[in-house]
Amino acid sequence: MKIQAAVVRETGAPLSVEELELGGLQPTEVRVRMVATGICHTDATARDGAYPISAPCVLGHEGAGVVEEVGAAVTSVAAGDHVVMAPASCGTCKQCRRGEMAYCEHYLDLNLSGRHTALSSGGEPVASHFFGQSSFATYANVMENSVVKVDPEAPLEMLGSFGCGLQTGAGAVLNDLRPEAATALVVIGTGAVGSAAIMAAKIAGCTTVIAVDLHDSRLELARELGATHTINSGKTDMVEEIKRITGGEGVNYAVDTTAVPAVLGQIVEALAVRGTLVAVGNTQFGTEAPFEIGESQVKGWTFKMNVQGSSVYHVFIPRLIELWQQGRFPFEKLVKTYSLEDINQAFEDSANGSTIKPIIIF
């Protein structure tokens, strides 16, 4: 069938909206009519060559839509169901069988290899199945494990971002850090992922929630979302200010969304004894971060890497949507909507900080 999609034709170049051919369903796939898709920083890094995905390709991994057709082996959803899409997982490896599909042993191959495709243009293959979906398109053939059935009363236009950015930030706090009430937590970088972490910290009962960013406008919004303190690290020494806020003790928990090696090294200095740092930022493969290990050893701090909020997608995403419906996870304050034709403007606005969470409406 013919579909419209935003295609990466050249690494680092703007996307082009084109007509493509979508192939038939595999037995374990679901065809989804896309209603909306979020744009995530990971899409930008993929466009710019961070992963082994060769152009031409279709990116996008925060899709939400309606099931139109299912493969012969699909049992968990049916035509007409409303779904949010999460990353693909094999369902059979040791990690998946333990319920940790975010750490599927075949994660890179299924989501980031570019070796899977159902799309073509004039007979030329176009790489698809980015994060199991390639949601920058009007339709997608999606692995059954990637679709999460959601409340049909919830507006699909707003739900796609729960599939990656929002569950990553919130899950880093609620699933990985699991902070005790009345503790101190810092979030470095207040984009969509960091904002979700701030909202989750408030839900968890942290009484000191520090937001760090370079944009005063984002810091102002962070206070609306639950931050008790803000730091513009371009104007103030981040470590000194965190220690001042915490009475010299440092923070119990830290979430880094930047993946900047120098920043990670700084955060360690701001941790309290037995503090925990979780890194969720996305960057070029091969990036390394330096840590001081001598003096740090006596602090007994913990460093964790996090993928997709360490979430069980089919459980955690509906829970976050319920929190949003209750007004306790007000992510709508982050959102600006765009048409597919304006997707490059959405990328630009995200990069310059004027939009925190762009959403494409089909």
Side-chain angles (χ1 to χ4, degrees):
M1 65 180 292
K2 300 291 185 182
I3 68 168
Q4 293 291 312
V7 183
V8 177
R9 284 283 172 187
E10 182 180 344
T11 299
L15 284 63
S16 60
V17 178
E18 306 176 16
E19 184 177 82
L20 300 180
E21 185 72 27
L22 176 64
L25 280 177
Q26 298 297 314
T28 58
E29 289 183 334
V30 176
R31 178 163 292 165
V32 178
R33 175 179 60 82
M34 216 65 64
V35 172
T37 180
I39 292 178
C40 177
H41 178 64
T42 301
D43 294 308
T45 57
R47 176 201 60 192
D48 296 340
Y51 306 121
I53 304 171
S54 299
C57 62
V58 175
L59 304 174
H61 64 288
E62 291 187 343
V66 179
V67 175
E68 291 230 331
E69 184 181 353
V70 300
V74 172
T75 60
S76 62
V77 293
D81 285 344
H82 289 203
V83 294
V84 167
M85 281 152 277
S89 55
C90 73
T92 58
C93 72
K94 183 183 295 185
Q95 301 306 318
C96 285
R97 288 181 181 274
R98 292 176 58 184
E100 297 184 342
M101 57 283 300
Y103 300 99
C104 173
E105 294 172 16
H106 304 286
Y107 188 97
L108 293 179
D109 178 65
L110 291 174
N111 295 292
L112 299 172
S113 69
R115 290 195 289 269
H116 307 277
T117 185
L119 299 174
S120 60
S121 175
E124 171 195 31
V126 177
S128 68
H129 289 74
F130 182 65
F131 279 80
Q133 54 188 279
S134 289
S135 59
F136 290 164
T138 51
Y139 288 83
N141 292 348
V142 182
M143 293 181 64
E144 181 182 13
N145 284 352
S146 293
V147 295
V148 178
K149 189 174 177 180
V150 297
D151 181 358
E153 297 301 316
L156 281 170
E157 294 84 357
M158 296 293 287
L159 301 187
S161 298
F162 284 97
C164 181
L166 297 179
Q167 78 160 342
T168 295
V173 175
L174 299 176
N175 297 330
D176 252 355
L177 291 178
R178 300 185 181 186
E180 296 177 352
T183 51
L185 181 147
V186 64
V187 177
I188 299 88
T190 59
V193 175
S195 295
I198 289 167
M199 291 185 279
K202 181 179 180 180
I203 290 168
C206 294
T207 47
T208 300
V209 181
I210 306 168
V212 180
D213 205 287
L214 295 170
H215 301 280
D216 287 332
S217 60
R218 289 192 173 193
L219 293 173
E220 182 178 346
L221 178 57
R223 282 192 176 270
E224 291 184 37
L225 298 176
T228 59
H229 301 77
T230 59
I231 300 171
N232 186 318
S233 55
K235 302 175 182 178
T236 305
D237 185 288
M238 176 181 71
V239 175
E240 289 186 3
E241 186 65 6
I242 290 173
K243 289 184 176 179
R244 184 194 68 78
I245 292 168
T246 58
E249 292 185 4
V251 288
N252 308 104
Y253 308 97
V255 178
D256 176 69
T257 73
T258 70
V260 176
V263 173
L264 284 165
Q266 282 184 293
I267 301 169
V268 170
E269 298 178 31
L271 286 176
V273 173
R274 302 297 286 171
T276 301
L277 162 62
V278 60
V280 301
N282 177 268
T283 190
Q284 188 83 26
F285 282 10
T287 302
E288 298 181 355
F291 293 116
E292 194 280 330
I293 61 175
E295 183 178 349
S296 293
Q297 185 176 19
V298 299
K299 293 173 69 174
W301 64 275
T302 300
F303 176 52
K304 306 180 74 171
M305 301 294 290
N306 177 287
V307 176
Q308 298 296 329
S310 296
S311 302
V312 178
Y313 311 137
H314 296 77
V315 175
F316 192 61
I317 289 173
R319 285 179 178 174
L320 282 182
I321 292 173
E322 185 174 353
L323 285 167
W324 173 55
Q325 290 172 315
Q326 293 177 355
R328 301 175 63 195
F329 193 78
F331 83 97
E332 73 280 356
K333 296 181 180 181
L334 313 176
V335 169
K336 182 178 179 181
T337 61
Y338 299 79
S339 67
L340 183 61
E341 289 70 23
D342 291 329
I343 191 169
N344 291 305
Q345 184 63 53
F347 270 96
E348 183 178 331
D349 291 351
S350 177
N352 65 31
S354 60
T355 298
I356 295 180
K357 174 49 67 178
I359 293 180
I360 302 298
I361 304 294
F362 293 94

